[in-house]
């Protein structure tokens, strides 16, 4: 490994450590979520090979960035709850459902990938919980913005 690779790897490790520390998230929660993200990514790749879909580097990079963005959503929620400096009990009431939604979405995707590996049929997973919550937030924002004008 040359010097540049070591610098890049160490920079990523320092950045993740900084995010973990500053977000106030438990290390075990983040590691469990990263494990789910990685497992879902790998089983998704295996499922794509099983159903003979095109596995291109572009598609893999986009999938990796999508999983990385989900991780940043987790960090963003952690920063938000830390910024608002709410009572710790209120913070847990706010944070736990979002964490549950993110974890459930990954589990549903993982189950769909395992189903595809076993049957050879791609199940178009719809993460109903995530879609419902994001749709609700969008409708709420639209409603609030209409009331302000």
């Amino acid at each position: 490994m040359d010097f540049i690779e070591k610098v890049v790897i160490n920079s990523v490790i320092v950045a993740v450590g900084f995010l973990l520390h500053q977000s106030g998230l438990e290390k075990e929660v983040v590691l469990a979520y990263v494990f789910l993200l990685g497992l879902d990514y790998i089983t998704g790749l295996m499922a794509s090979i099983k159903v003979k879909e095109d596995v291109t580097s572009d598609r893999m990079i986009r999938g990796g960035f999508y999983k990385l963005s989900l991780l940043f959503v987790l960090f963003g929620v952690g920063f938000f709850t830390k910024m608002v400096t709410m009572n710790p009990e209120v913070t847990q009431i706010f944070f736990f459902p979002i964490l549950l939604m993110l974890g459930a979405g990954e589990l549903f995707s993982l189950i769909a990938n395992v189903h595809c590996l076993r049957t050879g049929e791609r199940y178009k997973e719809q993460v109903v919980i995530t879609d419902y919550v994001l749709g609700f937030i969008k409708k709420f924002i639209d409603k609030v913005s209409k009331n302000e004008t």
Side-chain angles (χ1 to χ4, degrees), residues 29-144:
V29 170
V30 175
L31 289 177
Y33 191 62
V34 166
F35 177 74
L36 280 176
L37 289 172
L39 197 59
D40 182 44
Y41 185 81
I42 292 168
T43 57
L45 176 64
M46 292 167 55
S48 293
I49 292 170
K50 173 88 175 184
V51 295
K52 296 179 179 37
E53 291 177 350
D54 288 336
V55 180
T56 62
S57 60
D58 180 55
R59 184 172 176 207
M60 291 179 65
I61 289 171
R62 281 187 288 126
F65 278 130
Y66 176 72
K67 296 299 180 187
L68 192 61
S69 69
L70 288 175
L71 184 62
F72 282 121
V73 166
L74 182 67
F75 283 127
V77 170
F79 282 123
F80 176 75
T81 57
K82 193 172 182 180
M83 281 179 12
V84 224
T85 60
M86 293 187 270
N87 184 334
E89 290 82 23
V90 175
T91 302
Q92 289 301 322
I93 291 171
F94 172 76
F95 183 67
F96 184 72
I98 295 174
L99 182 64
L100 189 64
M101 177 186 70
L102 290 171
E106 287 308 308
L107 282 175
F108 287 148
S109 179
L110 189 62
I111 290 169
N113 290 336
V114 170
H115 168 76
C116 179
L117 287 171
R118 293 190 60 128
T119 64
E121 297 175 5
R122 178 64 92 172
Y123 177 75
K124 179 64 179 161
E125 75 249 14
Q126 291 294 323
V127 184
V128 178
I129 298 171
T130 308
D131 291 344
Y132 177 76
V133 171
L134 292 177
F136 175 78
I137 292 171
K138 182 183 179 312
K139 288 177 187 176
F140 178 75
I141 291 171
D142 289 344
K143 183 179 176 183
V144 169

